[in-house]
Amino acid sequence: MEIKVDECPFCHATEFIKGIQCGYAEVSGEGLHSSSLNHIICRKCGSVVRSYVDNPEKLLNKKNRKK
């Protein structure tokens, strides 16, 4: 499911860039595979408007996935 961001909730601008956080930006935990954290960033005010991982279904190990 794709969530579209049309407007910054802070400054109401409509131009965004996509960034991938480096360093400690992996999502991981007990029973999870790691995945990079992506951000949608407002070009005008620099606010992170949305954060997400690609393919969230791949975060869980096979034994921890719901059937």
Side-chain angles (χ1 to χ4, degrees):
M1 168 177 76
E2 184 175 333
I3 298 172
K4 186 155 174 57
V5 177
D6 294 319
E7 182 179 271
C8 175
F10 306 104
C11 72
H12 307 291
T14 58
E15 291 186 38
F16 304 94
I17 56 173
K18 178 182 176 181
I20 299 174
Q21 192 169 342
C22 301
Y24 294 100
E26 292 183 344
V27 176
S28 62
E30 185 178 332
L32 298 176
H33 289 290
S34 65
S35 184
S36 296
L37 192 55
N38 301 290
H39 301 289
I40 301 297
I41 304 163
C42 176
R43 289 189 70 153
K44 183 177 178 184
C45 72
S47 295
V48 176
V49 179
R50 179 170 184 252
S51 297
Y52 66 94
V53 295
D54 292 322
N55 305 311
E57 67 279 359
K58 292 184 178 180
L59 284 172
L60 294 175
N61 291 323
K62 288 181 182 180
K63 68 180 183 176
N64 293 328
R65 290 183 187 158
K66 292 182 181 179
K67 294 185 180 190

